[in-house]
Amino acid sequence: MNDSTILTISKDPQLLTVLREQLHGHVGPGSRMIVAPTIQEACALLETARTQLVVLHWTRDQASYDQIDRLLWTSTVLARRTPILVIAERYRTEQATTLFRMGVDDYISRTHHLDQLGRIFSAILQHRPAANGHSQEADAPGSMGAPVAHESAKRITAPALI
């Protein structure tokens, strides 16, 4: 899990501090976090950076479902689909249901789940190739590292349970 890159979409400096601590504490010192303030900028970075995970801090005033759909689509056209973790301020069942149906890999609440971030990072990243491209499980059929052929195929997948 060392040498992992996480793309984070957030404008909240306090959350970014917590994410950095959790990343380095549970994933390893060789890991790094790239921060994008908007989904549009994150989509451009996804096309060039070799990220193993996207963490989206979602607030209604910063992102719409259409923007999240664009992020999901950008993730599916990569050589290896990048998992997307959404952190909302509070857990809302209808929001979670919609996002899971759209294709996000996990949805958590900032108010209730931040203490579990390290475990969530580890669980998602253990099956992903590191930035150097090496992973024992990433290329296995049915693994999180398997590419998705088309956007519609991604939409019918079940959410990953951690």
Side-chain angles (χ1 to χ4, degrees):
M1 284 189 294
N2 286 337
D3 199 24
S4 296
T5 300
I6 294 178
L7 174 59
T8 305
I9 307 163
S10 180
K11 294 179 184 176
D12 185 330
Q14 291 175 328
L15 180 63
L16 292 172
T17 299
V18 170
L19 291 173
R20 278 188 189 97
E21 290 170 359
Q22 292 289 322
L23 175 65
H24 292 296
H26 289 85
V27 180
S31 300
R32 66 199 143 275
M33 181 169 49
I34 300 171
V35 178
T38 66
I39 288 178
Q40 183 177 11
E41 290 179 42
C43 287
L45 285 168
L46 265 177
E47 294 171 358
T48 58
R50 293 185 54 126
T51 47
Q52 286 71 43
L53 173 65
V54 174
V55 177
L56 169 63
H57 175 218
W58 189 36
T59 60
R60 286 235 184 229
D61 59 325
Q62 291 180 346
S64 67
Y65 285 117
D66 287 339
Q67 291 171 319
I68 293 172
D69 191 48
R70 179 171 181 232
L71 179 66
L72 288 162
W73 181 83
T74 302
S75 160
T76 64
V77 297
L78 300 172
R80 284 193 169 77
R81 190 184 74 77
T82 305
I84 297 175
L85 165 68
V86 175
I87 300 175
E89 290 300 314
R90 282 181 279 161
Y91 193 93
R92 291 187 168 89
T93 304
E94 69 281 352
Q95 191 176 68
T97 302
T98 299
L99 290 171
F100 280 130
R101 285 181 178 160
M102 289 175 69
V104 301
D105 295 273
D106 212 339
Y107 170 91
I108 63 172
S109 161
R110 179 178 180 163
T111 56
H112 292 99
H113 301 109
L114 280 187
D115 60 331
Q116 299 172 29
L117 269 179
R119 188 172 49 87
I120 293 168
F121 284 163
S122 295
I124 292 172
L125 294 174
Q126 73 181 350
H127 299 291
R128 300 291 302 163
N132 63 12
H134 298 295
S135 173
Q136 295 176 349
E137 299 180 43
D139 295 321
S143 72
M144 292 179 67
V148 175
H150 187 269
E151 178 182 6
S152 61
K154 184 177 186 309
R155 296 201 182 284
I156 61 172
T157 60
L161 299 176
I162 296 176

